[in-house]
Amino acid sequence: MKHLLSAADLTREQAVRLLDVAEQMAATQQREIKKLPALRGRTVVNLFFEDSTRTRLSFETAAKRLSADVITFSAKGSSVSKGESLKDTALTLQAMGADAVVIRHASSGAPHRLAEKGWTSGAVLNAGDGTHEHPTQALLDTFTLRKHLVGGGQLGAAAGADLAGRRVVVVGDVLHSRVARSNVHLLHTLGARVTLVAPPTLLPLGVETWPCEVSYDLDAALGEAPDALMALRVQLERMNAAYFPSAREYSRRYGVTAERMAALTALTPHAQLLHPGPMNRGLEITAEAADGPRSRVVEQVTNGVAVRMAALYLLLAGEEE
Amino acid sequence: MADARLSPENVTVHASTVLDASEISRSLTRIAHELLERNKGPQGLVLMGIPRRGTLLARRLAERLEQVEPGFDAAACTGSLDVTMHRDDLRRNPTRAPEPTTLPAAGIDGTTVVLVDDVLYSGRTVRAALDALSDLGRPRAVRLAVLVDRGHRELPIRADHVGKNLPTSTSERVYVRLVETDGVDEVRIESREAGTS
């Protein structure tokens, strides 16, 4: 594995290995001294062409915990706003000796282009590209699900396991969501069954070719007793058309409420609630559900650091070519 | 193994067993007694094995200590110390997945930690273990117990307790096999020579 560009590229073995290493990384993060010397002397560049808080901080924390040098670049206030191309930015980073480039870009496919054109010799990690993929988010979601559904919440207890036979409902703005696409592919690779729930206007073209089921009715999907419910953010910044009549109607039909969580936990007491953040409280999820006992939203952030440490470690620590 | 001369067809493998199950057992029993003698009893002893086989050997040593000294609680004084993230050869080898590190519940501050490994060779693993240990706490003293010392040290490191000193050449390989992982207790030495054909 040279790059981490999409969750759909990962084989079951690669995904399980990433999750296993992430569990060991998570265990080291419970110690008093969290820093490990594995990537000493390597340089990780965070290249963020699009706004991000948690992914950028998470990658930065992960690289620093592995003792790598971190350079964070955001497009705002850089030469990109003067019109510099992706290629020239990449060549500049190459000249500075970047061993890994973590890239977030508003255009789908930008990380692929960076990896395949040979502009940089380093490993490329996709931190979200347009509406395409966000593989480390899917990895941290599956990490969280595996830890709780298979490992009973204990780190290391689920080593080597996948999510065979588990059922996950993903509800929300699938159309604009790279998180949904990455999760559908990764969960499918790991043997889980995924049901996407959204209003027809918020489903992408070609969703019938994805390895999942599709439903327009959240209560019916929850009635089938899934093991986990993942709420997606309604991406207000990408809403340039009327996708649903009103926010109130959306919350009523597709919002994750305390009542819906109560109905779900009545069927599956072990059910997990995930949200990739940032949350629009009151729109796709109520505060009561988000802060409720089944919610893993805060733990997802912690797990994100461990998963990104594992990805950086596996891509950077090995044999030089 | 990429060397064509070492392909299976024209290579002669000489293998011999240097320690059998009962010899391994006697070595561990002797090391257990040495540990107690050196430490003047079991107080403050913590056994930390280096995965994977060092961890198994540490457990076996702890059981022996418990038999000799009923006051010693084997389960509470045994751990496992992964050194992968502290190795200096990470970039020279294929990526290794880290193994779990487990510590005694009471920690290692102020204890006498005995690092346990199967084979002592270059000393680089032990160096990494000393670094890993210092991130976990501050033991009063650190000692080293190994089942086999095969020489060829590359760092100023020596073992305090050795099961067997085994003079080897660098072209030979030493395999420690234990019942828990390999179904049999034995230490084998293998040498490979290019065939004359």
Side-chain angles (χ1 to χ4, degrees), chain A residues 32-44:
Chain A
E32 205 168 319
I33 299 177
K34 298 179 175 66
K35 210 172 171 80
L36 299 163
L39 296 184
R40 218 169 47 190
R42 319 296 303 265
T43 303
V44 175

Side-chain angles (χ1 to χ4, degrees), chain B residues 3 10 47 51 55-56 62 64 80 86 96 107 113 120 126 148 163 175 186 189 191 196:
Chain B
D3 194 333
N10 51 8
L47 303 182
T55 306
L56 304 174
R64 283 170 168 77
S80 182
H86 295 264
R96 297 158 176 257
V113 170
L120 179 59
V126 176
V148 174
Y175 294 95
E186 62 169 6
I189 184 163
S191 61
T196 48

Side-chain angles (χ1 to χ4, degrees), chain A residues 230-315:
Chain A
M230 188 185 299
L232 299 172
R233 187 169 66 93
V234 174
Q235 306 206 10
L236 298 165
E237 74 276 20
R238 296 184 219 266
M239 293 285 170
N240 46 13
Y243 290 104
F244 43 82
S246 72
R248 198 176 150 80
E249 174 160 345
Y250 182 86
S251 326
R252 200 172 57 76
R253 295 197 54 185
Y254 297 102
V256 178
T257 59
E259 295 75 45
R260 286 198 165 110
M261 285 310 295
L264 175 59
T265 46
L267 295 170
T268 40
H270 60 271
Q272 308 291 318
L273 173 62
L274 306 185
H275 189 298
M279 293 184 282
N280 296 309
R281 286 177 186 248
L283 182 53
E284 75 264 4
I285 190 165
T286 65
E288 216 180 340
D291 303 330
R294 307 312 307 164
S295 167
R296 302 288 172 211
V297 176
V298 177
E299 194 197 311
Q300 281 175 275
V301 179
T302 310
N303 294 343
V305 175
V307 160
R308 289 172 180 121
M309 285 175 77
L312 286 169
Y313 173 73
L314 289 174
L315 290 176

Side-chain angles (χ1 to χ4, degrees), chain A:
Chain A
M1 207 166 64
K2 170 97 171 76
H3 307 292
L4 181 61
L5 299 176
S6 95
D9 292 345
L10 292 173
T11 62
R12 182 192 168 279
E13 285 65 38
Q14 286 173 326
V16 168
R17 181 155 197 245
L18 260 163
L19 298 181
D20 287 350
V21 172
E23 293 214 332
Q24 298 307 333
M25 295 294 179
T28 68
Q29 296 308 297
Q30 295 173 347
R31 296 181 195 160
E32 205 168 319
I33 299 177
K34 298 179 175 66
K35 210 172 171 80
L36 299 163
L39 296 184
R40 218 169 47 190
R42 319 296 303 265
T43 303
V44 175
V45 176
N46 284 330
L47 197 54
F48 279 70
F49 292 93
E50 207 186 46
D51 295 342
S52 162
T53 309
R54 70 199 70 215
T55 306
R56 183 168 56 81
L57 289 176
S58 181
F59 265 113
E60 200 171 315
T61 309
K64 284 180 174 167
R65 296 273 163 86
L66 291 169
S67 304
D69 295 319
V70 186
I71 302 170
T72 298
F73 165 103
S74 43
K76 275 179 194 146
S78 74
S79 289
V80 171
S81 49
K82 298 179 190 169
E84 186 172 65
S85 67
L86 177 59
K87 178 177 178 180
D88 286 331
T89 307
L91 291 174
T92 306
L93 297 176
Q94 171 67 10
M96 289 177 184
D99 295 297
V101 179
V102 176
I103 178 175
R104 160 162 300 189
H105 204 285
S107 303
S108 304
H112 278 89
R113 195 163 173 81
L114 192 60
E116 281 159 20
K117 286 290 177 179
W119 297 332
T120 170
S121 59
V124 177
L125 289 93
N126 182 358
D129 60 333
T131 56
H132 175 231
E133 280 240 28
H134 192 352
T136 55
Q137 178 71 43
L139 282 163
L140 82 87
D141 291 337
T142 49
F143 177 92
T144 308
L145 290 180
R146 191 179 80 152
K147 180 180 156 195
H148 288 283
L149 294 177
V150 183
Q154 287 296 110
L155 281 175
D162 58 14
L163 288 168
R166 310 289 165 161
R167 291 191 300 169
V168 182
V169 169
V170 180
V171 60
D173 181 1
V174 180
L175 177 64
H176 298 104
S177 179
R178 49 198 174 208
V179 176
R181 185 191 299 260
S182 289
N183 261 306
V184 165
H185 287 292
L186 187 61
L187 287 168
H188 173 74
T189 304
L190 290 171
R193 260 181 59 199
V194 185
T195 306
L196 290 175
V197 181
T201 49
L202 284 176
L203 285 167
L205 279 177
V207 72
E208 63 280 359
T209 64
W210 293 17
C212 63
E213 289 152 39
V214 176
S215 161
Y216 303 140
D217 185 342
L218 180 57
D219 291 313
L222 294 182
E224 291 179 25
D227 300 287
L229 172 61
M230 188 185 299
L232 299 172
R233 187 169 66 93
V234 174
Q235 306 206 10
L236 298 165
E237 74 276 20
R238 296 184 219 266
M239 293 285 170
N240 46 13
Y243 290 104
F244 43 82
S246 72
R248 198 176 150 80
E249 174 160 345
Y250 182 86
S251 326
R252 200 172 57 76
R253 295 197 54 185
Y254 297 102
V256 178
T257 59
E259 295 75 45
R260 286 198 165 110
M261 285 310 295
L264 175 59
T265 46
L267 295 170
T268 40
H270 60 271
Q272 308 291 318
L273 173 62
L274 306 185
H275 189 298
M279 293 184 282
N280 296 309
R281 286 177 186 248
L283 182 53
E284 75 264 4
I285 190 165
T286 65
E288 216 180 340
D291 303 330
R294 307 312 307 164
S295 167
R296 302 288 172 211
V297 176
V298 177
E299 194 197 311
Q300 281 175 275
V301 179
T302 310
N303 294 343
V305 175
V307 160
R308 289 172 180 121
M309 285 175 77
L312 286 169
Y313 173 73
L314 289 174
L315 290 176
L316 288 182
E319 210 164 8
E320 288 178 301
E321 308 221 339

Side-chain angles (χ1 to χ4, degrees), chain B residues 65-87:
Chain B
L65 290 178
E66 200 173 41
Q67 284 162 13
V68 183
E69 295 278 344
F72 182 82
D73 182 354
C77 300
T78 316
S80 182
L81 179 68
D82 179 61
V83 306
T84 312
M85 308 302 283
H86 295 264
R87 298 193 77 92

